[in-house]
Amino acid sequence: MSTTPLYSKLQKILAAGHFGVTSECGPPRSCDPKGVEEKARMIGDYVDAINVTDNQTAVVRQCSLASCIRIKQMGYDPVLQMVTRDRNRIALQSDLLGAGSFGINNILCLTGDHQSFGDHPNAANVFDLDSTQLVQTVKKMRDEGKLLSGFELKECPQMFIGAAENPFADPFEIRVSRLAKKVAAGAQFIQTQCIYNIPKFKQWMQGVVDRGLDEKVYIMAGMTPMKGVGMAKYMKNRVPGMDVPDDLIKRLSGVPKEKQAEEGIKICIEQIQELKEVKGVKGFHIMAIEWEEKVPEIVQQAGLYPRPKVD
Amino acid sequence: MANSSGKKKKGAVLVVGAGVAGMQASLDLASSGYLVHLVDKSPTIGGIMSQLDKTFPTNDCAMCIISPKLVEVGRHLNINILPNTEVEGLEGEAGNFQVALKSHPRYIDLKACTACGQCRQVCPVTAVNEFNQALDLREATYMRYPQAIPRGFTIDRNVCIGCGLCEKVCLAEAVHYDDTAKEFSLDVGAVILAPGNEIFDPSKFDTYNYLNLPNVVTSLEFERILSASGPYRGHLMRPYDREEPAKIAWLQCVGSRNINACDNSYCSAVCCMYAIKEAVIAKEHAHGNLDTAIFYMDMRTYGKEFEQYYNRAKEHGVRFIRSRIHSIEPEGECDLRLTYADEQGQQKSEVFDMVVLSVGFEVGKETVELGKRLNIDLNRHKFAVTDGFKPVETSRPGVYVCGTLQGPKDIPQSVMEASGAAAGTSALLSESRWTETRSLQLPPQRDVSKEPPRIGVFVCNCGINIGGIVDVPAVREYARTLPYVVHVEDNLFTCSQDTQVRMGQVIKEKGINRMVVAACTPLTHEPLFRETLLDIGLNKYLFEMANIRNQDSWVHMKDRQKATDKAKDLVRMSVARAALLQQLEEQKIQIQQSGLVIGGGIAGMNAALNLAQQGFSAILVEKGTELGGLARCVTHTIDGMEVQPYVDSLIAEVKAHPGIKVLTESEVTSFKGYKGNFTTKVRVGSSLEEETFEHGVVIVATGAKEYRPKEFLYGEHDGVMTQMDLDEVLRQRGAGNGNDPAKWNRAIMIQCVGSRNEENPNCSRICCQSAVKHALELKKLNPAMDIVILYRDMRMYGLLEDYYTEARRQGIIFSRFDLDDLPKVESNGAGLKVTFHDHVLQRHIQMPADAVVLSAATLAANTDQLATQLKVPRNAYGFFIEAHAKLRPVDFSSEGIYLCGTAHSPKLISESITQSLAAASRAGSFLAGKTLSVGGAVAHVDKSHCAACLVCVMSCPYGVPKINDENVSEINPALCQGCGVCVSECPAKAIQLSHFEDDQITVEVHALLEGAV
Amino acid sequence: MNEVFEPKMLAFLCNWCAYAGADLAGVSRFQYPPTIRVIRTMCSGRVDPLYVIEGLKDGFDQVSVFG
Amino acid sequence: MIIAEPKPIDEIIDSLKDFNRILVAGCDGCVTVCEAGGMKEVEVVASALRIYFKQAGRAVTVDEISLTRQCDRPYTAQLADKIDQYDAVLSLACGVGVQFLAEDYKNKPIFPGVNTCFMGGTEEKGLWTERCQGCGKCILANTGGICPIARCSKRMLNGPCGGSSDGRCEVNKDIACGWHLIYERLKELGQLDRFETPTDPKDWNTSRDGGPRKVIKEVSRL
Amino acid sequence: MSVVEQLLDYSGIGRKRMALRWVSAAEGQIFADTVKELTESTKELGPFDAQAYNLQLAAVERVLQGPRVRWMTGVDLHVTERGNVYGEKVDEQAFRAMFEQSLKEEYEKALILEVLGDGPSSVREMAGKTGLPVYTVSLRLNDLERRGLADLQKFEGSTPRFVRLAA
Amino acid sequence: MRLSYPTNVKIVKLPCSGRVDVVHLLKAFEDGADGVYVAGCLEGDCHYQVGNLRAKKRVAYVKDILDKIGIGGERVAMYNLSAGQGPRFAEIAREMSEKIKQLGPTPLRKSGGSAKGVKLTPGTTKEEAA
């Protein structure tokens, strides 16, 4: 694993060989200061770092950076998610500088959902950089102390650099190469797309291990518990790049409606247990969408609690 | 080559009977360079097809597709139509016959008659209208149907009382009561008999009560009921009370497949399909949910894509009930009760509103007499005797036969036979081609392109047809005021001979260079007036016609003023367009006098041989190492003809003919050009060298193959074989080898293996007769042998029915099975056992058998590459698609390419031979023209505006436009069909269609609406 | 019907024969019922069958033509 | 070629309704080929305009012409002797043509009759698709001849996003995933190794420079 | 005049309501006798109710107005006595039979046309109003359609309704 | 058959309905037609294979234009019929006449407008073109 300095709590836990646990919270669609606070408080003690989404699904929300600052001030370790859809390289770098100034040490570099899915489908997109190039940019700022233009920074952002990866998207054969590409660009940890199809994930992981990538990057398996069979079907049919096997839907529809949520949590926990055994899996990123209150339960029952302490 | 008497053969042919077969034979021959005398005893040509509503399996309107043929026959310079004429006798020999003929008086002079119809309007006498099958009436002066050719009336002397009124009203002075019968004789080289059949008359049966119950009709009556020009104008109604029926039954095999005193034992071959068609069309016509039921014995939908038609009918809800109905009982005031036993033997009874008797064909008494007079042999069913390998030749050399006199058959089969007979004739008389034909001698055309328009307008009174409604003098005077008009006149009949002469004078005197005729309709008369222009040396495109009769006076009889106003509008429109008309030149292109025949089976060889005998050269390309094709697997035909000696002699003849170049182990590698001038590269023989051929036509005869079954233990057990395998076993036995079928105790045959199922919904047509043929042969070998044929419908169509009857007589067992309960074949050590459901016993039966013979489907040969090279279409099952299923059964829609044999669809050897001769005839009649006129009303590109955008290339339905070396679109006038789609699509407006240029169209619109805004 | 029925009758008479005959009846004083009304035509051939019907329509009980 | 589509006739009428002498000018170039602005479209639009003005009770002249190209001055100059007779011109050329006319005839209002869409080609008759956004720095060499800028909904330069499935883009199932195509093509060419080299942030200055971009080919200049 | 007799018979009015007699200029007595005789026979028939025979009279009138009957009466002698255009004499009886048949048909058609004058009608309705058999109506109607005097107006369910067309 | 139909229907003969151009239809309206219809062969029965389907699309296109410029798309129509359907032709003529009668005369006629135009070529002046 990389020998660079350890910038964040998350990085330290992973470096110490523990399973890392992260979760995410989506900022509110208003100026309400409480939203993020409450969610962070709910999960803060059960995870190592909290991701804050950046206008997820291209819907306008409180800005990720502001929410991260709030979480940092509460004493937790935030992961700043940043998409290239809305800002060009000038704005992205400026935000990175701002984040650095607040001691935010984790970043997840994303391209972002297409604006046509969000609430402003007529907006112009930017896509000046893509996610890989954003990883390159952060690395350049951190390691070379330079902006993309070559301008030398007096103080650099100290970032543990992450990227996302979807092991299930098409073409499947390219997914490992694409991971390699992001690693080559400078990604240190990967949070994956929600995993439901365990065999296919294992197949991907095998490819990752075969190329030795698991030695170069921490892979955190993305987990999202199902609230019911409706959600499962929606994810399967409507959410791009999502692979929900039929037997999972069958299992959920096999239990009464009021028990489905419970069953969903149960499945999630079983899967975490199973993935712990998979070589290369270094942690879990639990995305309980608008269901953050269940994160503690999942973390506990998956045997990931209490969280290790590092300094 | 002269015949035995040393005289040169005559280049003229007598065709007897002007139905669809007679017309086709005449057209082929007349275009091939022979003078044709087309004789029909009726006053018009067209035959029975003109009476049909729609035709299966395409549901085309019969009149729509036959009427262009009628017109073509009527106008052909080398077809001499002799209506009301009968053949009295025939002397002489092939090549030099003398025919004695007798013409019955018509009482109306065809040269003078304009078919205006005034005589009919006044005729006080009525008679039943045979054309509408006596469902309505006609007058004693009549035309059989509105589209009839020759276009002229006739007086029916049987009913005319001689009152003289028609003569009084006839302004054309065409009525001649002193007309008399004329006897005369003609010298011809050959005779083609196509007199057709009659419809079986069901009044011979009292059980059907046909004469007493108005709602019992024959199928031909029902055709008339459905027809838009029929007695009910195409509305589905029953005769008794003109109510729309809610339930109609069809009774099949009325007069066919029975050996009662008054029946015929053969199958009439067409009734199953027409009954299905009538049921489907009736359902389409009905306002409510029409219930249709067809009572049948075997559904014989054996033709190309017929089975799919049958399946679609089932989907449409047509009921098919396997039962023969004995009698029809009246029920209530006018309904009809049918009592029948269903397949389970249960007695049932159902009431219908209407019953259609699917009546069969029979050879009429007069035809039998004719046969005697001409000294040709007729068989026991009174059909002409032909040799299976010479299917269009009668027993008398030089006398050919086609159509239903040869045997019951449908339209395409008749058309093929007609062309086949023409091919035979053409080969016989080729030395005398173009010796008796007439040709037009035209003066050179005057170039008027630099002259300003000088328009002559001729307004026709059409007797009183126009003048009685429209104020013709007013229209004439109005025309005088229009721009560029230098001459106007009105005529009693503008189309009369004297007016044509006058027109010529006026054109000369006044220097007229555009002509407008306001009269009946361009559909019938434009060619006439164009000819008048040609006679006087004007380009035929400088003519325009205003339709002030068919689309004005006749349809607005009630409002004379408005009709006159409209006539003025129409004349204004025509004059405006005429001013913009331009002379168009047609070019002559030489036609290569040779044909490329692809496929060296029986069909290909016959086609090549006939072409060569016609005097053209032929290149015969065969993929295999030897000629012969699939026929090599057939020992003899069902009527006992030995196939192998025939094939051997055919091969010898083909190889010996100096006009044929035979290429074996050869394949077409590239193909380009257009009709008349194709260039084909052929990889020849094992040397793989390429040879290039230039030729005028192509005949595709690539054949078919037998399906190799995957079912019924085929290939797993030696006792399971196909019919073709059995043929081989029988042949080996003859040579003293192998398994001896004479020792078999029981053979079981299974029909429809690989046919009529989901994978291949087609019927393979020939397997029923193969099974019966082999069953009879096995019986002969060992009369004690049990033979069981498991079938779905025994499709022993036409005269094949005789063999089916014989097979049953000999104790061969026929047992029917359904697709959802297929027989099961199991191995039983060295033997086999077969389990099947018996419909009579209503239970499954198991039988041991020494052999199981599978009647395997006939499938299309692999022609992917060839079809792509020739750009000719194939259906979903790989058979080639002809230009028109009915009337152009051997042509492809791309001109100059023809089709025959099993590449078209499965068929018998005799049918393949017929079709190959037909293809050779079509090809020959094209080649005989020597040159090809192209141009005229075709699209042309203005290079300077062409953006080479490819829009024309993409939108042309015929794939004609190409971007050429100059980087602009080029449209070959020889290939352009003149539809104008590219013109309307061209985004740069760089393409125009001659004679229908944009300004020529918009000026019409503009003139029509002049002053509207 | 109480009244004695007196039919109303119409006759078309040919000028040359029947009309002359009727005149002659007068000259000879031959009596006949007063039920008849006479219309003279120049020839009975001129009597259109339609006239018969017109007569009946107009209420005559009988119409005759004398030639 | 440049692909354009005809503007809805009501929008055209809206811009021209106050004029009395109108010239509809087509272009025989790209817009002819994509059936948006050639002589045929000129006739159609002009005819529709005349019908509109007639029914509106107006006496308006609508004349028709089509120029070889409206993106070259010698051709636009062909209007010089005619333009004074009109008080407005409807150009059915692409945006270039409209602007050239506007520059050449400063005192005449020139209106666009088509929406200029993109550079593309004819997929089939009546269907045109985009291939190039004219970014000014071609990277096709590294992407198997398939442009991710024109073909990927997110202009991604380093591979597909996670949203595509069955080779279709997450934005619209009718669109092929550009990167899927690139991947397939590279695989076929045996150049998949090219894929793993990260592409650096792109120099967009050739695409998003200030004002109209210029192309200068010195050797061609006079 | 036998035409009229025939038609009066068909219509149910009866041929006795008309007469055709030959009286020469010299036969005053015969004229008087005839009138007497006719008056007697008419008295026996009773009064004629023209109202009740409205339809029939109109139909007879239509027949007589129609060209066909007029022409046929016109050619009567021509073809039976003097010889027709072919120079042959048509057997008088045969001619008569044909003529009567035509007359009957014309009368039936006229009746149908009269009924149709009251508005669209089905075949069965026409049969009811004219008193003709259904099938006869069907056959005659067909001839009317052929001659452009009647036409199908529309289908009401499975029942077609026919209308009269102005000649 | 001599079926009658209204006299106001005027016919322009074309080799195939596929030859009907959008411009022809528009010109007819421009010249003051109240309604225009194209009568082609039955679908699937085009003598020239697909001409009638092309015509159908063009009629739909003109309909849209007419709707947008306030003439009304219902003034143009496409009908399909075969050569044997004389009665159907008369029926269509009546039907279309009836429909147009209900719509009233084309607005062009009552408006008194007089829009004109000529087709120019780059090389000629307007005077020459006219």
Side-chain angles (χ1 to χ4, degrees), chain C residues 5 7 9 17-18 21-22 24-25 30-33 35 47-50 52-54 57 61-67, chain E residues 1 4 16-21 23 25-26 28-29 31-32 35-36 39 42-43 46-48 60-61 64-65 70:
Chain C
F5 164 53
M9 296 163 64
C17 16
L24 182 63
F30 299 131
Q31 297 304 297
Y32 52 87
T35 48
V47 180
D48 194 303
L50 272 173
V52 179
I53 304 308
E54 285 302 318
K57 268 174 91 176
D61 297 308
Q62 211 263 357
V63 182
S64 29
V65 183
F66 291 82
Chain E
M1 280 307 132
V4 185
K16 287 191 175 162
R17 298 241 178 232
M18 79 151 287
L20 171 65
R21 295 299 149 89
V23 179
Q29 182 61 50
F31 180 77
V35 173
K36 263 188 250 167
T39 304
T42 308
K43 271 185 182 170
F48 177 65
V60 171
E61 205 171 354
L64 294 172
Q65 273 170 341
R70 299 178 76 90

Side-chain angles (χ1 to χ4, degrees), chain B residues 347-364:
Chain B
Q347 206 63 24
K348 291 205 170 152
S349 170
E350 225 180 310
V351 174
F352 289 87
D353 296 345
M354 209 175 163
V355 171
V356 182
L357 304 176
S358 294
V359 289
F361 285 128
E362 65 186 13
V363 179

Side-chain angles (χ1 to χ4, degrees), chain B residues 32 40 49 99 104 109 154 156 221 384 402 419 442 463 480 521 534 540 590 724 759 851 873 979 1009:
Chain B
S32 297
D40 200 291
M49 183 174 168
V99 203
H104 299 286
D109 179 5
T154 307
D156 177 355
E221 282 171 65
C402 59
S419 285
L442 296 175
R480 202 186 291 285
T521 163
L534 288 171
K540 69 176 180 184
Q590 294 294 318
M724 234 176 233
E759 203 177 317
C979 68
L1009 294 158

Side-chain angles (χ1 to χ4, degrees), chain A residues 89 130 166 170 181 211, chain D residues 155 158 162 166 195-196 202:
Chain A
R89 62 189 78 180
D130 68 10
N166 181 356
D170 284 336
K181 194 168 185 177
R211 287 200 47 179
Chain D
R155 287 198 291 277
N158 279 295
D166 299 328
F195 173 75
E196 277 196 32
K202 183 176 164 61

Side-chain angles (χ1 to χ4, degrees), chain B residues 937-989:
Chain B
V938 294
H940 53 88
V941 182
D942 174 356
K943 283 187 208 168
S944 65
H945 283 105
C946 177
C949 67
L950 296 161
V951 164
C952 49
V953 176
M954 292 184 280
S955 58
C956 176
Y958 302 95
V960 177
K962 301 270 177 296
I963 302 298
N964 66 11
D965 297 343
E966 293 173 58
N967 225 1
V968 291
S969 169
E970 186 175 301
I971 295 174
N972 184 340
L975 298 174
C976 177
Q977 305 280 321
C979 68
V981 164
C982 59
V983 184
S984 298
E985 289 287 341
C986 176
K989 284 273 165 214

